[in-house]
Each structure stands twice: as C-alpha cells, then as structure tokens.
Amino acid sequence: MGLQTRFTQKLNAQSTVDAGLGIGGGERSARLFAGYDYEILPDYDYQPKTTVKAFVENAKEFGVRRNILGIAPTFSKGLVVAEKEVFPFISLPYGISLSNRDNTYASSFSANLGVTGNIPMENAKTLTASAEAVIGIKDSYTGAFISIGYPIE
C-alpha cells in the first residue's frame, strides 16, 4: 500500500510534463519521477490517440536504489459509456536501470492497461478517477492501482 502525488502540466497541444513522489510500505518504499509526453496522433474518429513518453525515475526497491531511464508508447481512445466519456488505454513502458548496489544495468518491460474518466457524481464533477493494471513482462512488477485526481487551476 502506498501514496503518490503527481503534478502534471500541459505545455501546448501536443506536449505534457509531469513529476511526482511516491512512498509506500514494504519492499517498494520510495520513488521520484519526471516525464515528458509527446502526442504523435490525436484521438480522432476511429484513430486512437498515440503518445510517446520519455521518463526518468529514482526508486528504492528491495533495499536497492535504482536510476531508471525509459520510454513508454501509449494508445488511448475516448469512448462514451452510460452517457459518460471514459478513456481506456494501454501503455508499454520499457526502461533501463542502474543499480547502486553493484553498478549493473538491467532492462524492464511491462504492459499497463487502464481507464480514466470523470467521476460520475454530481458533487464530484471536477474529480477524475483512474484504474490501472500493470502486468510485469520482464524484470518489472505486477500490480493494480487506483487514483483520484483534482485539477488545480
């Protein structure tokens, strides 16, 4: 169980940056991260939105501090479900990390599947919710995540 805070800023129509901090109990105790997301194709008609995100992360996992550089292509498509718009997505993050324990490099790969949308309650219209499943494919973790976001203008 953990808690994460994230700041996201749209720079222009195609670019977004984010940064944050996550803390938790157990073997994955802390992480700092930052990323730059660039939209290659917009969500248009039958075409899904396609973005590529470059990211850097410093994480403490199983007592080992890791510096990670990565890239994550992401595909999403806006859909209307029960008269509410939702955005299912799939992301395929690939990273290369340097371990501080023995100064070795390793690669990781996962498939992240999820959905994001506004919370469908009258008094919570400004809040967004997200549910995500991370499937570890190569030297990565499997997990389920939920989040609630509040826009700060």
Short mmCIF file of all heavy atoms in Angstrom, two decimals, residues 20-77:
data_model
loop_
_atom_site.label_atom_id
_atom_site.label_comp_id
_atom_site.label_asym_id
_atom_site.label_seq_id
_atom_site.Cartn_x
_atom_site.Cartn_y
_atom_site.Cartn_z
N GLY A 20 6.65 13.73 -9.82
CA GLY A 20 5.99 13.35 -8.59
C GLY A 20 6.86 12.57 -7.64
O GLY A 20 8.04 12.33 -7.89
N LEU A 21 6.22 12.17 -6.55
CA LEU A 21 6.85 11.45 -5.47
C LEU A 21 5.88 10.37 -5.01
O LEU A 21 4.69 10.62 -4.85
CB LEU A 21 7.14 12.41 -4.32
CG LEU A 21 7.43 11.84 -2.95
CD1 LEU A 21 8.79 11.16 -2.95
CD2 LEU A 21 7.38 12.92 -1.90
N GLY A 22 6.40 9.17 -4.80
CA GLY A 22 5.59 8.08 -4.27
C GLY A 22 6.28 7.48 -3.06
O GLY A 22 7.50 7.33 -3.04
N ILE A 23 5.49 7.16 -2.04
CA ILE A 23 6.02 6.49 -0.86
C ILE A 23 5.12 5.30 -0.56
O ILE A 23 3.94 5.29 -0.90
CB ILE A 23 6.09 7.44 0.37
CG1 ILE A 23 4.72 8.05 0.65
CG2 ILE A 23 7.14 8.50 0.18
CD1 ILE A 23 4.65 8.85 1.94
N GLY A 24 5.69 4.29 0.05
CA GLY A 24 4.90 3.12 0.35
C GLY A 24 5.55 2.25 1.40
O GLY A 24 6.70 2.46 1.78
N GLY A 25 4.80 1.27 1.84
CA GLY A 25 5.34 0.30 2.78
C GLY A 25 5.86 -0.89 2.01
O GLY A 25 5.66 -1.03 0.82
N GLY A 26 6.56 -1.74 2.67
CA GLY A 26 7.06 -2.95 2.03
C GLY A 26 8.34 -2.73 1.26
O GLY A 26 9.13 -1.83 1.56
N GLU A 27 8.51 -3.53 0.24
CA GLU A 27 9.78 -3.57 -0.48
C GLU A 27 9.96 -2.48 -1.54
O GLU A 27 11.03 -2.31 -2.08
CB GLU A 27 9.95 -4.95 -1.13
CG GLU A 27 9.96 -6.08 -0.14
CD GLU A 27 11.13 -6.01 0.84
OE1 GLU A 27 12.17 -5.39 0.50
OE2 GLU A 27 11.01 -6.54 1.94
N ARG A 28 8.89 -1.78 -1.90
CA ARG A 28 8.99 -0.66 -2.85
C ARG A 28 8.67 0.61 -2.07
O ARG A 28 7.55 1.10 -2.09
CB ARG A 28 8.02 -0.87 -4.01
CG ARG A 28 8.34 -2.14 -4.77
CD ARG A 28 7.56 -2.25 -6.04
NE ARG A 28 8.07 -1.28 -6.98
CZ ARG A 28 7.38 -0.80 -7.99
NH1 ARG A 28 6.15 -1.19 -8.18
NH2 ARG A 28 7.91 0.07 -8.81
N SER A 29 9.67 1.17 -1.40
CA SER A 29 9.39 2.17 -0.39
C SER A 29 9.38 3.62 -0.87
O SER A 29 8.79 4.46 -0.21
CB SER A 29 10.40 2.03 0.75
OG SER A 29 11.72 2.17 0.27
N ALA A 30 10.02 3.95 -1.99
CA ALA A 30 10.04 5.35 -2.39
C ALA A 30 10.40 5.48 -3.87
O ALA A 30 11.12 4.66 -4.42
CB ALA A 30 11.06 6.12 -1.56
N ARG A 31 9.88 6.55 -4.48
CA ARG A 31 10.26 6.86 -5.85
C ARG A 31 10.05 8.33 -6.14
O ARG A 31 9.11 8.96 -5.64
CB ARG A 31 9.50 6.00 -6.86
CG ARG A 31 8.03 6.28 -6.97
CD ARG A 31 7.30 5.26 -7.84
NE ARG A 31 7.45 5.49 -9.24
CZ ARG A 31 6.50 5.93 -10.05
NH1 ARG A 31 5.30 6.20 -9.59
NH2 ARG A 31 6.72 6.11 -11.32
N LEU A 32 10.94 8.89 -6.93
CA LEU A 32 10.83 10.23 -7.51
C LEU A 32 10.81 10.04 -9.01
O LEU A 32 11.54 9.20 -9.54
CB LEU A 32 12.04 11.10 -7.16
CG LEU A 32 12.18 11.54 -5.72
CD1 LEU A 32 13.56 12.12 -5.49
CD2 LEU A 32 11.12 12.57 -5.39
N PHE A 33 9.99 10.80 -9.73
CA PHE A 33 9.92 10.61 -11.17
C PHE A 33 9.59 11.90 -11.89
O PHE A 33 9.04 12.84 -11.31
CB PHE A 33 8.87 9.53 -11.52
CG PHE A 33 7.48 9.88 -11.06
CD1 PHE A 33 6.62 10.57 -11.89
CD2 PHE A 33 7.05 9.53 -9.80
CE1 PHE A 33 5.34 10.90 -11.47
CE2 PHE A 33 5.77 9.85 -9.37
CZ PHE A 33 4.92 10.53 -10.20
N ALA A 34 9.93 11.93 -13.17
CA ALA A 34 9.57 13.05 -14.04
C ALA A 34 9.46 12.50 -15.46
O ALA A 34 10.12 11.52 -15.81
CB ALA A 34 10.63 14.14 -13.99
N GLY A 35 8.59 13.13 -16.26
CA GLY A 35 8.41 12.65 -17.62
C GLY A 35 7.97 13.74 -18.58
O GLY A 35 7.49 14.80 -18.16
N TYR A 36 8.15 13.46 -19.85
CA TYR A 36 7.73 14.35 -20.93
C TYR A 36 6.95 13.50 -21.93
O TYR A 36 7.46 12.51 -22.45
CB TYR A 36 8.93 14.99 -21.61
CG TYR A 36 8.58 15.81 -22.83
CD1 TYR A 36 8.06 17.08 -22.70
CD2 TYR A 36 8.73 15.29 -24.11
CE1 TYR A 36 7.72 17.85 -23.81
CE2 TYR A 36 8.39 16.03 -25.23
CZ TYR A 36 7.88 17.30 -25.08
OH TYR A 36 7.54 18.04 -26.18
N ASP A 37 5.68 13.84 -22.16
CA ASP A 37 4.78 13.09 -23.02
C ASP A 37 4.51 13.90 -24.30
O ASP A 37 4.12 15.07 -24.21
CB ASP A 37 3.48 12.85 -22.26
CG ASP A 37 2.70 11.65 -22.74
OD1 ASP A 37 3.23 10.88 -23.56
OD2 ASP A 37 1.56 11.47 -22.27
N TYR A 38 4.73 13.28 -25.45
CA TYR A 38 4.51 13.96 -26.73
C TYR A 38 3.45 13.21 -27.54
O TYR A 38 3.56 12.01 -27.76
CB TYR A 38 5.80 14.05 -27.53
CG TYR A 38 5.63 14.83 -28.81
CD1 TYR A 38 5.57 16.22 -28.79
CD2 TYR A 38 5.48 14.18 -30.03
CE1 TYR A 38 5.38 16.94 -29.96
CE2 TYR A 38 5.29 14.90 -31.20
CZ TYR A 38 5.24 16.28 -31.15
OH TYR A 38 5.04 16.98 -32.32
N GLU A 39 2.42 13.92 -27.98
CA GLU A 39 1.34 13.34 -28.78
C GLU A 39 1.75 13.25 -30.25
O GLU A 39 2.04 14.25 -30.88
CB GLU A 39 0.08 14.19 -28.65
CG GLU A 39 -1.11 13.62 -29.41
CD GLU A 39 -2.33 14.49 -29.25
OE1 GLU A 39 -2.85 14.58 -28.13
OE2 GLU A 39 -2.75 15.09 -30.26
N ILE A 40 1.76 12.03 -30.77
CA ILE A 40 2.10 11.80 -32.17
C ILE A 40 0.85 11.87 -33.04
O ILE A 40 0.85 12.52 -34.09
CB ILE A 40 2.79 10.43 -32.34
CG1 ILE A 40 4.10 10.43 -31.57
CG2 ILE A 40 3.02 10.10 -33.81
CD1 ILE A 40 4.75 9.08 -31.48
N LEU A 41 -0.22 11.21 -32.59
CA LEU A 41 -1.50 11.23 -33.30
C LEU A 41 -2.62 11.56 -32.32
O LEU A 41 -2.65 11.02 -31.22
CB LEU A 41 -1.79 9.86 -33.94
CG LEU A 41 -0.85 9.39 -35.03
CD1 LEU A 41 -1.13 7.92 -35.37
CD2 LEU A 41 -0.97 10.25 -36.26
N PRO A 42 -3.57 12.42 -32.72
CA PRO A 42 -4.68 12.74 -31.81
C PRO A 42 -5.76 11.65 -31.84
O PRO A 42 -5.81 10.82 -32.75
CB PRO A 42 -5.23 14.05 -32.40
CG PRO A 42 -4.94 13.93 -33.86
CD PRO A 42 -3.63 13.20 -33.96
N ASP A 43 -6.61 11.66 -30.82
CA ASP A 43 -7.80 10.80 -30.79
C ASP A 43 -8.78 11.41 -31.78
O ASP A 43 -9.35 12.46 -31.53
CB ASP A 43 -8.36 10.80 -29.37
CG ASP A 43 -9.58 9.91 -29.22
OD1 ASP A 43 -10.19 9.52 -30.23
OD2 ASP A 43 -9.92 9.60 -28.06
N TYR A 44 -8.96 10.75 -32.92
CA TYR A 44 -9.80 11.33 -33.97
C TYR A 44 -10.55 10.21 -34.69
O TYR A 44 -9.94 9.26 -35.16
CB TYR A 44 -8.92 12.10 -34.96
CG TYR A 44 -9.69 12.72 -36.09
CD1 TYR A 44 -10.47 13.85 -35.88
CD2 TYR A 44 -9.66 12.17 -37.36
CE1 TYR A 44 -11.18 14.43 -36.91
CE2 TYR A 44 -10.38 12.74 -38.40
CZ TYR A 44 -11.13 13.86 -38.17
OH TYR A 44 -11.86 14.42 -39.19
N ASP A 45 -11.87 10.34 -34.76
CA ASP A 45 -12.71 9.37 -35.45
C ASP A 45 -12.41 7.97 -34.92
O ASP A 45 -12.59 7.71 -33.75
CB ASP A 45 -12.53 9.52 -36.96
CG ASP A 45 -13.77 9.12 -37.74
OD1 ASP A 45 -14.84 8.94 -37.12
OD2 ASP A 45 -13.67 8.99 -38.96
N TYR A 46 -11.94 7.06 -35.75
CA TYR A 46 -11.62 5.70 -35.29
C TYR A 46 -10.16 5.54 -34.90
O TYR A 46 -9.73 4.45 -34.52
CB TYR A 46 -11.97 4.68 -36.38
CG TYR A 46 -13.45 4.60 -36.64
CD1 TYR A 46 -13.99 5.17 -37.78
CD2 TYR A 46 -14.29 3.98 -35.74
CE1 TYR A 46 -15.36 5.13 -38.01
CE2 TYR A 46 -15.65 3.91 -35.96
CZ TYR A 46 -16.18 4.49 -37.10
OH TYR A 46 -17.53 4.44 -37.33
N GLN A 47 -9.39 6.60 -34.99
CA GLN A 47 -7.96 6.55 -34.71
C GLN A 47 -7.71 6.79 -33.22
O GLN A 47 -8.16 7.79 -32.67
CB GLN A 47 -7.26 7.63 -35.53
CG GLN A 47 -5.82 7.87 -35.19
CD GLN A 47 -5.30 9.02 -36.01
OE1 GLN A 47 -5.09 8.87 -37.19
NE2 GLN A 47 -5.13 10.18 -35.36
N PRO A 48 -6.98 5.91 -32.54
CA PRO A 48 -6.66 6.17 -31.14
C PRO A 48 -5.57 7.23 -30.99
O PRO A 48 -4.76 7.43 -31.90
CB PRO A 48 -6.15 4.82 -30.63
CG PRO A 48 -5.62 4.15 -31.84
CD PRO A 48 -6.47 4.63 -33.00
N LYS A 49 -5.58 7.90 -29.87
CA LYS A 49 -4.51 8.84 -29.54
C LYS A 49 -3.24 8.02 -29.30
O LYS A 49 -3.25 7.00 -28.62
CB LYS A 49 -4.88 9.62 -28.28
CG LYS A 49 -3.82 10.59 -27.82
CD LYS A 49 -4.32 11.31 -26.57
CE LYS A 49 -3.29 12.24 -26.01
NZ LYS A 49 -3.81 12.92 -24.81
N THR A 50 -2.14 8.48 -29.88
CA THR A 50 -0.86 7.80 -29.73
C THR A 50 0.16 8.80 -29.20
O THR A 50 0.35 9.85 -29.79
CB THR A 50 -0.37 7.23 -31.08
OG1 THR A 50 -1.38 6.36 -31.60
CG2 THR A 50 0.93 6.49 -30.93
N THR A 51 0.77 8.46 -28.07
CA THR A 51 1.78 9.32 -27.47
C THR A 51 3.03 8.50 -27.15
O THR A 51 2.98 7.28 -27.07
CB THR A 51 1.29 9.98 -26.16
OG1 THR A 51 1.09 8.98 -25.16
CG2 THR A 51 0.01 10.77 -26.37
N VAL A 52 4.13 9.21 -26.98
CA VAL A 52 5.37 8.60 -26.52
C VAL A 52 5.85 9.43 -25.33
O VAL A 52 5.94 10.66 -25.42
CB VAL A 52 6.45 8.56 -27.62
CG1 VAL A 52 7.76 8.05 -27.06
CG2 VAL A 52 6.00 7.69 -28.77
N LYS A 53 6.14 8.74 -24.24
CA LYS A 53 6.60 9.42 -23.03
C LYS A 53 8.02 8.99 -22.71
O LYS A 53 8.33 7.80 -22.64
CB LYS A 53 5.69 9.06 -21.85
CG LYS A 53 6.08 9.74 -20.57
CD LYS A 53 5.08 9.44 -19.48
CE LYS A 53 5.35 10.31 -18.28
NZ LYS A 53 4.29 10.17 -17.28
N ALA A 54 8.89 9.97 -22.52
CA ALA A 54 10.24 9.73 -22.01
C ALA A 54 10.19 10.01 -20.51
O ALA A 54 9.56 10.98 -20.08
CB ALA A 54 11.24 10.64 -22.70
N PHE A 55 10.83 9.16 -19.72
CA PHE A 55 10.78 9.38 -18.27
C PHE A 55 12.09 9.03 -17.60
O PHE A 55 12.91 8.28 -18.13
CB PHE A 55 9.63 8.58 -17.64
CG PHE A 55 9.74 7.08 -17.79
CD1 PHE A 55 10.40 6.32 -16.84
CD2 PHE A 55 9.17 6.44 -18.87
CE1 PHE A 55 10.50 4.95 -16.97
CE2 PHE A 55 9.25 5.06 -19.01
CZ PHE A 55 9.92 4.31 -18.05
N VAL A 56 12.28 9.61 -16.42
CA VAL A 56 13.41 9.32 -15.55
C VAL A 56 12.84 9.07 -14.16
O VAL A 56 11.86 9.71 -13.76
CB VAL A 56 14.45 10.47 -15.57
CG1 VAL A 56 13.85 11.77 -15.07
CG2 VAL A 56 15.67 10.11 -14.77
N GLU A 57 13.42 8.12 -13.47
CA GLU A 57 12.90 7.74 -12.15
C GLU A 57 14.05 7.34 -11.24
O GLU A 57 15.03 6.74 -11.69
CB GLU A 57 11.92 6.58 -12.32
CG GLU A 57 11.29 6.10 -11.06
CD GLU A 57 10.26 5.00 -11.30
OE1 GLU A 57 9.84 4.81 -12.45
OE2 GLU A 57 9.90 4.34 -10.32
N ASN A 58 13.91 7.66 -9.97
CA ASN A 58 14.83 7.18 -8.95
C ASN A 58 13.95 6.43 -7.95
O ASN A 58 13.05 7.02 -7.37
CB ASN A 58 15.56 8.34 -8.28
CG ASN A 58 16.51 7.86 -7.21
OD1 ASN A 58 16.08 7.52 -6.11
ND2 ASN A 58 17.78 7.84 -7.53
N ALA A 59 14.20 5.13 -7.79
CA ALA A 59 13.33 4.31 -6.95
C ALA A 59 14.14 3.44 -6.00
O ALA A 59 15.24 2.99 -6.34
CB ALA A 59 12.46 3.42 -7.83
N LYS A 60 13.59 3.21 -4.82
CA LYS A 60 14.18 2.28 -3.87
C LYS A 60 13.28 1.05 -3.83
O LYS A 60 12.13 1.12 -3.42
CB LYS A 60 14.31 2.89 -2.49
CG LYS A 60 15.06 2.00 -1.53
CD LYS A 60 15.37 2.70 -0.23
CE LYS A 60 16.21 1.79 0.66
NZ LYS A 60 16.46 2.41 1.95
N GLU A 61 13.84 -0.08 -4.29
CA GLU A 61 13.10 -1.33 -4.38
C GLU A 61 13.93 -2.45 -3.76
O GLU A 61 15.07 -2.66 -4.16
CB GLU A 61 12.79 -1.66 -5.84
CG GLU A 61 12.01 -0.56 -6.54
CD GLU A 61 11.97 -0.72 -8.04
OE1 GLU A 61 12.83 -1.43 -8.60
OE2 GLU A 61 11.08 -0.13 -8.65
N PHE A 62 13.36 -3.15 -2.79
CA PHE A 62 14.05 -4.26 -2.14
C PHE A 62 15.42 -3.84 -1.59
O PHE A 62 16.39 -4.56 -1.70
CB PHE A 62 14.17 -5.46 -3.09
CG PHE A 62 12.85 -5.99 -3.53
CD1 PHE A 62 12.28 -5.58 -4.72
CD2 PHE A 62 12.15 -6.88 -2.72
CE1 PHE A 62 11.04 -6.05 -5.12
CE2 PHE A 62 10.91 -7.35 -3.12
CZ PHE A 62 10.35 -6.94 -4.31
N GLY A 63 15.47 -2.65 -1.03
CA GLY A 63 16.69 -2.15 -0.42
C GLY A 63 17.74 -1.65 -1.40
O GLY A 63 18.84 -1.29 -1.00
N VAL A 64 17.42 -1.62 -2.68
CA VAL A 64 18.37 -1.19 -3.70
C VAL A 64 17.85 0.08 -4.36
O VAL A 64 16.70 0.16 -4.75
CB VAL A 64 18.56 -2.29 -4.78
CG1 VAL A 64 19.50 -1.83 -5.88
CG2 VAL A 64 19.07 -3.58 -4.14
N ARG A 65 18.69 1.09 -4.46
CA ARG A 65 18.35 2.33 -5.14
C ARG A 65 18.64 2.16 -6.62
O ARG A 65 19.71 1.68 -7.01
CB ARG A 65 19.18 3.47 -4.55
CG ARG A 65 18.98 4.80 -5.15
CD ARG A 65 17.69 5.48 -4.84
NE ARG A 65 17.36 5.60 -3.44
CZ ARG A 65 16.15 5.96 -3.02
NH1 ARG A 65 15.19 6.20 -3.88
NH2 ARG A 65 15.89 6.05 -1.75
N ARG A 66 17.67 2.52 -7.48
CA ARG A 66 17.83 2.39 -8.93
C ARG A 66 17.54 3.73 -9.61
O ARG A 66 16.61 4.42 -9.25
CB ARG A 66 16.86 1.35 -9.49
CG ARG A 66 17.03 -0.03 -8.94
CD ARG A 66 16.02 -1.00 -9.58
NE ARG A 66 15.98 -2.25 -8.89
CZ ARG A 66 16.86 -3.22 -9.04
NH1 ARG A 66 17.86 -3.06 -9.87
NH2 ARG A 66 16.75 -4.35 -8.38
N ASN A 67 18.35 4.05 -10.61
CA ASN A 67 18.09 5.17 -11.50
C ASN A 67 17.62 4.58 -12.82
O ASN A 67 18.30 3.73 -13.40
CB ASN A 67 19.35 6.00 -11.71
CG ASN A 67 19.75 6.70 -10.43
OD1 ASN A 67 18.96 7.41 -9.84
ND2 ASN A 67 20.97 6.46 -9.98
N ILE A 68 16.46 5.03 -13.29
CA ILE A 68 15.82 4.41 -14.44
C ILE A 68 15.56 5.46 -15.52
O ILE A 68 15.02 6.53 -15.23
CB ILE A 68 14.48 3.75 -14.03
CG1 ILE A 68 14.71 2.75 -12.90
CG2 ILE A 68 13.81 3.10 -15.23
CD1 ILE A 68 13.47 2.38 -12.14
N LEU A 69 15.93 5.16 -16.74
CA LEU A 69 15.58 5.95 -17.92
C LEU A 69 14.68 5.09 -18.77
O LEU A 69 14.96 3.90 -18.97
CB LEU A 69 16.83 6.33 -18.73
CG LEU A 69 17.80 7.29 -18.06
CD1 LEU A 69 19.05 7.43 -18.92
CD2 LEU A 69 17.15 8.63 -17.84
N GLY A 70 13.61 5.68 -19.31
CA GLY A 70 12.70 4.85 -20.08
C GLY A 70 11.89 5.60 -21.09
O GLY A 70 11.92 6.83 -21.18
N ILE A 71 11.14 4.82 -21.85
CA ILE A 71 10.23 5.33 -22.87
C ILE A 71 8.97 4.48 -22.84
O ILE A 71 9.03 3.28 -22.59
CB ILE A 71 10.91 5.31 -24.26
CG1 ILE A 71 10.08 6.07 -25.27
CG2 ILE A 71 11.23 3.91 -24.71
CD1 ILE A 71 10.87 6.45 -26.52
N ALA A 72 7.82 5.12 -23.04
CA ALA A 72 6.55 4.41 -22.95
C ALA A 72 5.59 4.87 -24.04
O ALA A 72 4.97 5.93 -23.92
CB ALA A 72 5.92 4.63 -21.58
N PRO A 73 5.44 4.09 -25.12
CA PRO A 73 4.37 4.39 -26.07
C PRO A 73 3.02 4.09 -25.43
O PRO A 73 2.89 3.11 -24.69
CB PRO A 73 4.66 3.46 -27.25
CG PRO A 73 5.51 2.38 -26.69
CD PRO A 73 6.22 2.93 -25.50
N THR A 74 2.04 4.96 -25.67
CA THR A 74 0.72 4.81 -25.08
C THR A 74 -0.35 5.03 -26.15
O THR A 74 -0.24 5.93 -26.97
CB THR A 74 0.52 5.82 -23.93
OG1 THR A 74 1.55 5.62 -22.97
CG2 THR A 74 -0.83 5.66 -23.25
N PHE A 75 -1.40 4.20 -26.08
CA PHE A 75 -2.52 4.28 -27.02
C PHE A 75 -3.79 4.40 -26.19
O PHE A 75 -4.00 3.62 -25.26
CB PHE A 75 -2.57 3.03 -27.89
CG PHE A 75 -1.26 2.71 -28.55
CD1 PHE A 75 -0.36 1.84 -27.95
CD2 PHE A 75 -0.90 3.32 -29.73
CE1 PHE A 75 0.87 1.57 -28.53
CE2 PHE A 75 0.33 3.06 -30.32
CZ PHE A 75 1.22 2.18 -29.72
N SER A 76 -4.64 5.40 -26.51
CA SER A 76 -5.89 5.58 -25.79
C SER A 76 -6.99 6.01 -26.76
O SER A 76 -6.71 6.55 -27.83
CB SER A 76 -5.74 6.61 -24.67
OG SER A 76 -5.50 7.89 -25.20
N LYS A 77 -8.23 5.78 -26.34
CA LYS A 77 -9.37 6.12 -27.20
C LYS A 77 -10.53 6.55 -26.33
O LYS A 77 -10.95 5.82 -25.43
CB LYS A 77 -9.76 4.90 -28.04
CG LYS A 77 -10.87 5.16 -29.02
CD LYS A 77 -10.39 6.06 -30.12
CE LYS A 77 -11.51 6.42 -31.07
NZ LYS A 77 -11.32 7.73 -31.63
#
